[in-house]
Amino acid sequence: MTTLETRNVLTGAEHALQSACGHLLGLRSPEGWWKGELQTNVTMDAEDLLLRQFLGIRTERDTAEAGRWIRSQQRADGTWANFHEGPADLSTTVEAYAALRLAGDPPDAAHMRAARGPILDMGGIEASRVFTRIWLALFGEWPWRRLPVMPPELMFLPPWFPLNIYDWACWARQTIVPLTVVTACRPVRRLPFDLAELRTGREPRRAAGGGWERAFGVLDRALHRYERRPSPILRRAALRRAINWIAARQEADGSWGGIQPPWVYSVIALHLAGYRLDHPVLTKAIKGLDRFTIRDENGRRLEACQSPVWDTALAVNALLDAGTPADHPVLTGAAAWLLREEITTTADWAVRRPGLAPGGWAFEFDNDGYPDIDDTAEVILALRRLDVPGVRPAIERGVRWMSGMASSDGGFGAFDADNDRVLCTKLPFCDFGAVIDPPSADVTAHVVEALAKERPHSPELRRGVVWLLRAQERDGSWFGRWGANHVYGTGAVVPALVAAGVDPGHSSVRNAVAWLERHQNDDGGWGEDLRSYRDPAWIGRGASTPSQTAWALLALLAAGERSPAVENGVRWLVEHQRPDGTWDEPYFTGTGFPGDFYINYHLYRLVFPISALGRYLRRDTPPDVR
């Protein structure tokens, strides 16, 4: 690249960064936080209508607006997918179809016929996932006896016993407990129609499992026999314990864990247990859904979760990377809000770490029961760069809690320590979504980066670095648990290793740089399709996106690269910026459950490019100053 070309890239990057920062500053709330939309797929909206139908509170307005949104997301082949330009998903399409029937769409309408054909081709209702068939069972469209059993007596298993509720990841735990109530009650509230047109009449062909799968198949058959005549005393006690456990974990905003699955199942479970709709717990729960509802010209849709703490920490770090003064009122106001969001109460995480003092941050506005390690690391990285009253004690508490949540192998999961019992994944009930929370490279990397700044000589830092080095894939990349995918993992790990003192010339860093350069697209950007979670052929491959291009650049810049790959990546960001300062990113680059559930974080397209451009333009500035 010539000197003139380099100068043009620098000039373009400066203009792009200024414009992007202006756009980001304009998105800040008066209270000091940022929150981009957290977009998922239409199962959220379909299940919301089904929930309201089950409770008898579905309104014409909600139904019409949700129906309009669901129809707008149908693809040309008649199906619905779990992410932009992804493959057809049977269960999502079944749930969308059922919701549109609720919205009054006749089965002989063209768009309904277009959906029905692929549903039948993919195996019909019979081949849909367990959670979809649970929703159908609530309305008599699938027999309860043909679902795997999860008895509420599970509540009596002690924390040291295999398959106790604390062996499950926090999001799965909060979902499984209410489902034990629902599946024990086996309610049926008929729809004004049936879905016979979605049945093939054939049992799906399932791959024969061995080992644990076969053992759990035997266990499931035994549980079905028990379910026909459970011990009345034991069942009543188990249901009582489950209901009390659920009610005790409702958050201030009415949710459970700030996420959709445990929220809706907890509402149904409590309702079946005798809670009236005007009970304060259910009133708060149903009203709380409004806060997660977006209404616009496209209709009505629900966010599966909200991410204000995460988004705010990322925004603060991005603006600081861009050179915004640390005493800027926007940054000090954001810091004050983050300090108010600190969680200083003990919760489920203490089951595995009973002697650990609380301190940390959650993802959402109201999720005091489940602070998470990833958010805590990112908040620490943001707050330590600001000089505001009360910041140092909060950082100290956060670092202590975060360090104490290390798993036995030195890595870090998202919510719990040593939540890695793979037996949970073998149950017939678990055919959708991650159900355990083992250490991941991206979370461990964020913790390592925070500890490198705050505890540079700590044993937790050393063990975290060793964990990351051992977790590197043979091709030089790292798997990304919470973002897509190897580009995200690699983009997180390389800056963390360098911050922790690993020399940029170390073979692990060099191999990562080589992997990123090999997977740069011809247009200069980076992208990785979410199908890479299931099909290795997609690893590192996909349409270029702003967030993934920024992740790759952050890794290359941390490794000290001044290569054509960096210049071309920066040029891609400059050339694809919108006039208003942000970027278009229809592709989903966030991950809820690898292989099953994905997220389009609408702020990712802005905060990560700002960080990348800021670090590119200030790459000669010492890291501690950045």
Side-chain angles (χ1 to χ4, degrees), residues 156-208:
F156 292 122
L157 297 179
W160 53 265
F161 196 88
L163 300 180
N164 75 87
I165 61 171
Y166 298 102
D167 275 354
W168 306 83
C170 72
W171 60 86
R173 177 188 320 143
Q174 293 177 94
T175 301
I176 291 295
V177 171
L179 279 178
T180 66
V181 176
V182 175
T183 57
C185 294
R186 297 188 171 191
V188 173
R189 298 180 183 179
R190 295 284 178 180
L191 296 168
F193 53 83
D194 64 44
L195 295 171
E197 68 269 22
L198 301 186
R199 294 187 180 86
T200 66
R202 302 185 303 272
E203 284 297 315
R205 296 181 62 183
R206 302 191 185 277

Side-chain angles (χ1 to χ4, degrees), residues 163-500:
L163 300 180
N164 75 87
I165 61 171
Y166 298 102
D167 275 354
W168 306 83
C170 72
W171 60 86
R173 177 188 320 143
Q174 293 177 94
T175 301
I176 291 295
V177 171
L179 279 178
T180 66
V181 176
V182 175
T183 57
C185 294
R186 297 188 171 191
V188 173
R189 298 180 183 179
R190 295 284 178 180
L191 296 168
F193 53 83
D194 64 44
L195 295 171
E197 68 269 22
L198 301 186
R199 294 187 180 86
T200 66
R202 302 185 303 272
E203 284 297 315
R205 296 181 62 183
R206 302 191 185 277
W212 286 112
E213 287 84 353
R214 183 177 294 116
F216 280 125
V218 173
L219 175 62
D220 185 61
R221 289 191 290 274
L223 289 173
H224 270 91
R225 288 194 291 273
Y226 172 76
E227 199 65 25
R228 289 195 287 270
R229 298 188 65 182
S231 163
I233 296 175
L234 194 61
R235 175 55 56 91
R236 284 194 298 269
L239 287 171
R240 185 164 55 249
R241 178 171 292 194
I243 291 299
N244 291 340
W245 190 94
I246 295 166
R249 283 160 177 77
Q250 187 179 34
E251 299 289 348
D253 63 354
S255 74
W256 278 264
I259 52 179
Q260 185 263 7
W263 196 339
V264 296
Y265 297 126
S266 293
V267 167
I268 295 172
L270 293 175
H271 180 56
L272 293 174
Y275 282 57
R276 295 167 54 91
L277 294 179
D278 58 359
H279 188 285
V281 169
L282 289 194
T283 298
K284 185 165 66 170
I286 296 167
K287 183 174 178 56
L289 289 168
D290 293 339
R291 189 180 186 183
F292 284 61
T293 301
I294 296 173
R295 282 187 163 96
D296 59 22
E297 66 279 3
N298 296 312
R300 174 183 183 273
R301 61 189 182 276
L302 263 70
E303 294 179 282
C305 186
Q306 294 181 331
S307 53
V309 174
W310 181 246
D311 287 348
T312 301
L314 291 174
V316 169
N317 276 317
L319 290 169
L320 289 167
D321 287 339
T324 306
D327 61 355
H328 192 291
V330 166
L331 296 182
T332 57
W337 183 80
L338 286 170
L339 289 173
R340 293 195 297 273
E341 290 297 305
E342 183 190 3
I343 297 169
T344 56
T345 54
T346 299
D348 282 0
W349 53 265
V351 171
R352 296 285 169 84
R353 293 293 182 267
L356 183 61
W361 284 264
F363 190 66
E364 303 88 351
F365 284 111
D366 297 290
N367 189 9
D368 290 351
Y370 295 95
D372 73 90
I373 297 157
D374 213 9
D375 274 272
T376 299
E378 196 66 36
V379 170
I380 290 169
L381 286 167
L383 291 180
R384 69 177 303 277
R385 302 168 72 179
L386 303 172
D387 185 14
V388 296
V391 71
R392 181 44 51 184
I395 290 174
E396 294 292 335
R397 289 189 293 270
V399 169
R400 182 183 59 216
W401 179 79
M402 180 181 70
S403 300
M405 292 299 291
S407 290
S408 300
D409 63 1
F412 291 82
F415 292 90
D416 285 301
D418 294 321
N419 190 268
D420 54 5
R421 198 185 294 272
V422 295
L423 285 181
C424 295
T425 68
K426 308 300 182 183
L427 291 169
F429 205 87
C430 301
D431 66 347
F432 175 77
V435 296
I436 57 176
D437 184 18
S440 68
D442 42 308
V443 176
T444 302
H446 294 149
V447 174
V448 163
E449 190 170 2
L451 290 177
K453 306 292 187 183
E454 289 292 324
R455 296 288 187 274
H457 306 295
S458 65
E460 291 85 6
L461 173 61
R462 290 194 297 272
R463 297 183 72 224
V465 169
V466 170
W467 191 97
L468 288 173
L469 293 174
R470 290 175 175 171
Q472 188 172 24
E473 304 288 335
R474 290 184 177 182
D475 63 7
S477 68
W478 278 270
F479 177 87
R481 163 61 181 87
W482 297 97
N485 172 349
H486 292 253
V487 176
Y488 182 69
T490 307
V493 172
V494 172
L497 291 178
V498 174

Side-chain angles (χ1 to χ4, degrees), residues 66-133:
R68 186 161 72 250
W69 170 252
I70 293 170
R71 286 184 213 101
S72 76
Q73 299 302 298
Q74 189 175 19
R75 289 123 52 90
D77 66 357
T79 68
W80 284 262
N82 285 343
F83 57 91
H84 181 69
E85 293 189 357
D89 185 80
L90 170 61
S91 293
T92 301
T93 303
V94 168
E95 292 183 28
Y97 184 100
L100 291 181
R101 289 294 310 273
L102 275 179
D105 294 16
D108 60 351
H111 66 289
M112 300 295 275
R113 291 199 308 271
R116 188 160 61 249
I119 288 173
L120 295 174
D121 290 343
M122 289 186 282
I125 286 174
E126 296 92 335
S128 64
R129 60 179 171 250
V130 169
F131 278 36
T132 296
R133 284 179 281 136

Side-chain angles (χ1 to χ4, degrees), residues 524-554:
W526 279 267
E528 184 171 355
D529 192 282
L530 289 159
R531 278 169 281 201
S532 65
Y533 282 108
R534 293 199 186 278
D535 183 357
W538 283 98
I539 290 175
R541 290 180 50 224
S544 296
T545 69
S547 59
Q548 291 168 315
T549 298
W551 297 337
L553 286 172
L554 290 170

